[in-house]
Amino acid sequence: MDMLMSLGDKGFRGSSVKTWEGEGEKVRDLMRVCVNTAKTIIVLGNGGDWVRSDQKVLRTILTMQGMPEPPRGLLLCDVCRDENRELFEDIGGARVRAIVARDIVRRIMTITLL
């Protein structure tokens, strides 16, 4: 499934937001959302099996690094296993930040209950 949605300037302080669902391993698809000029790129896994999800995110990072004009902005990557955070940041370099989003959501939910 391939979907591209541009939200334009709807409360994003002058930034345009593009969301896309597709194959992160295809340079042509990544160019459709202008990853080479984006300030921030959020790479999400596919959920489900943590091994496959983290592999997909890692393949997307490697594809972006191999592009003729790699991204200059921050790559914020969703990682399922905390053990993989350091690996993603080492491979991706200084522009990659790996987070375990599920842990953050759980913490917010717990704080809300207090």
Side-chain angles (χ1 to χ4, degrees):
M1 176 181 219
D2 187 12
M3 176 180 75
L4 177 65
M5 177 176 73
S6 182
L7 300 176
D9 184 19
K10 296 182 181 175
F12 293 105
R13 299 182 188 173
S15 296
S16 78
V17 175
K18 293 182 181 181
T19 61
W20 165 76
E21 182 179 315
E23 297 298 319
E25 299 87 17
K26 294 182 180 177
V27 173
R28 179 182 55 90
D29 287 351
L30 294 170
M31 294 300 291
R32 289 182 65 197
V33 288
C34 305
V35 296
N36 56 334
T37 59
K39 289 182 194 174
T40 304
I41 302 160
I42 300 173
V43 182
L44 299 174
N46 55 3
D49 179 31
W50 69 268
V51 173
R52 288 196 173 112
S53 181
D54 283 1
Q55 286 173 347
K56 179 179 172 106
V57 172
L58 186 57
R59 284 193 303 269
T60 302
I61 292 169
L62 292 171
T63 300
M64 283 191 263
Q65 286 183 329
M67 292 173 61
E69 191 178 335
R72 295 176 289 216
L74 174 69
L75 272 76
L76 186 60
C77 302
D78 177 30
V79 179
C80 291
R81 300 286 294 199
D82 192 51
E83 297 84 18
N84 290 338
R85 282 180 50 239
E86 188 174 337
L87 171 69
F88 279 47
E89 292 174 356
D90 286 347
I91 290 174
R95 292 192 173 107
V96 172
R97 301 289 181 273
I99 63 163
V100 183
R102 291 181 201 170
D103 289 349
I104 294 171
V105 170
R106 287 180 188 137
R107 289 178 191 164
I108 291 170
M109 290 173 66
T110 302
I111 291 170
T112 303
L113 290 173
L114 298 177

